[in-house]
Amino acid sequence: MSLLSNTSQPDRLVFCIVDGGLSLKDKYCLEQLAQRFHATIRLIPDEWDFYSGQTWADLEHYPHVSRFASYRLLLPYLIEEKVDRLLYLDSDTMIRTDITALWDEPMGTRAVAVAEPGPDTERAAALGLPRVHGSLDPGLMMINVPQWKAQHLSTSVFTHMTTLGHTFADSLHSVTYSDQWWWHPRWNTTTDMFTQPLPSHAYGNRVVEALQTPSAVHFNGPVKPWHAYCPHPYKYEYTYYRHQLLSLVTLTPPVWTSPPLQESDRSL
């Protein structure tokens, strides 16, 4: 809702959502939202291999690897062949400016574009990365699809996760750190930016700019804006978009002979 409300041309947008068990009510809400803004939503069933020979059943051997988090490894293979870039967003992200501005950001031949990593030198050292690379939060990232496929990054990241026991974020950072394009932190203003001490170098200045005018507020961490005790300064803006959504949709779906939005190629 926040993304569509702040986009000047929502009819240009195609949302691809991997369906890991959406209810009929959720699908009906998505359908109404897409129709309201003339956007396109496609639900993709999750019965897919990570890549050739890798199945969901293999995740049983790696309890630290979330099936839902691993959907990100599937994305470059689930979209149309003609699409060369895709933008991934975590579901706990609120968009405050026109998201299409990111398409004007240069990326060149880099495989991944993300907000500039925070200066977590201890984490960088633990991952064996240069200090400047800090820690990565891929809650909002652009994927260069041809480069991603050419480098077999789905396989590399998954292998890194399962071999070393790292999270998706750490594994992605370790595998692609030399092949990343960095955006301003305002494109992924995380909760810890509001709570942690500001670094004294130039990155601290950019964090201040992000906190003043965030383009994407990422409610990462265990406390979310829908929790009553959430102290986040943008909690009430989230509530505004939630109320706006509820004013546009009907929560009770009609009775269909077959559920809507079941086919992976369905467009609204």
Side-chain angles (χ1 to χ4, degrees), residues 20 92 125:
D92 55 356

Side-chain angles (χ1 to χ4, degrees), residues 7-172:
T7 301
S8 58
Q9 295 179 292
D11 57 312
R12 294 177 53 196
L13 302 178
V14 179
F15 294 86
C16 297
I17 303 175
V18 181
D19 182 2
L22 288 172
S23 67
L24 187 61
K25 182 179 75 172
D26 289 337
K27 295 177 183 180
Y28 185 49
C29 287
L30 288 171
E31 181 171 352
Q32 294 174 84
L33 189 61
Q35 291 174 344
R36 169 65 176 78
F37 286 95
H38 306 289
T40 300
I41 290 181
R42 294 182 180 142
L43 294 190
I44 305 170
D46 70 349
E47 292 89 7
W48 295 80
D49 293 343
F50 283 117
Y51 49 89
S52 180
Q54 187 69 54
T55 64
W56 289 118
D58 294 321
L59 289 181
E60 297 176 359
H61 306 295
Y62 311 104
H64 71 284
V65 180
S66 165
R67 173 170 181 168
F68 294 98
S70 300
Y71 285 156
R72 287 172 281 197
L73 298 174
L74 292 170
L75 297 178
Y77 299 95
L78 298 181
I79 59 175
E80 299 175 11
E81 288 290 333
K82 65 180 181 180
V83 178
D84 60 357
R85 296 171 78 183
L86 65 88
L87 180 66
Y88 167 82
L89 295 92
D90 271 359
S91 58
D92 55 356
T93 301
M94 182 177 69
I95 304 301
R96 305 183 69 249
T97 58
D98 195 332
I99 197 70
T100 58
L102 282 180
W103 291 102
D104 299 326
E105 290 281 335
M107 190 174 175
T109 59
R110 302 295 178 92
V112 176
V114 289
E116 182 179 356
D120 187 344
T121 55
E122 292 184 4
R123 192 61 195 154
L127 296 174
L129 304 179
R131 292 179 58 189
V132 67
H133 287 274
S135 60
L136 181 74
D137 186 308
L140 195 152
M141 67 174 174
M142 188 86 75
I143 293 177
N144 183 328
V145 176
Q147 288 294 326
W148 181 284
K149 290 182 176 179
Q151 299 178 40
H152 306 287
L153 290 181
S154 293
T155 303
S156 299
V157 173
F158 185 75
T159 300
H160 194 279
M161 293 168 66
T162 55
T163 303
L164 300 179
H166 287 170
T167 63
F168 172 83
D170 284 346
S171 295
L172 177 71

